[in-house]
């Protein structure tokens, strides 16, 4: 059902509802630091079945754009564009 032109769609999406997609809307969740003993795989999607795009080291900084279950879509370059996915267990919010 179409809610009509008065429905606050942008606000709804910013709260986590992406109309029709069944996924969270992208939003900046802040800067995080990689915390891992050796290396952490940056993957092409949210899961270990996806291709490894790059390996990150402990202390590398990333910006989390979206949560998808236990996985986080991240921006490595600071340009707001997603670069891949990291498992959230290996990320610590900066300043905490």
């Amino acid at each position: 059902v179409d809610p009509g032109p008065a429905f606050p769609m942008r606000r709804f999406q910013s709260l986590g509802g992406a109309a029709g997609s069944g996924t969270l809307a992208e939003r900046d969740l802040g800067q995080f630091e990689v915390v891992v003993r050796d290396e952490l795989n940056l993957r092409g999607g949210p899961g270990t079945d996806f291709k490894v795009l790059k390996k990150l080291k402990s202390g590398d900084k990333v910006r989390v754009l979206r949560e998808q279950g236990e996985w986080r879509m991240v921006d490595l370059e600071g340009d707001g564009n997603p670069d891949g996915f990291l498992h959230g267990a290996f990320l610590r919010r900066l300043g905490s």
Side-chain angles (χ1 to χ4, degrees), residues 3-22:
F7 186 80
M9 186 60 72
R10 289 203 189 274
R11 184 171 190 291
F12 173 72
Q13 289 176 327
S14 74
L15 295 172
S21 72

Side-chain angles (χ1 to χ4, degrees), residues 1-2 5 10 14 16 27 34 38 44 60 66 69 71 77 79 84:
V1 176
D2 184 354
R10 289 203 189 274
S14 74
R27 61 187 187 275
V34 172
D38 296 315
D60 286 348
R66 182 178 73 188
W71 293 84
E77 309 298 325
D79 58 6

Side-chain angles (χ1 to χ4, degrees), residues 37-50:
R37 184 175 296 172
D38 296 315
E39 294 178 324
L40 181 61
N41 294 329
L42 176 73
R43 296 196 176 265
T48 56
D49 293 337
F50 290 90

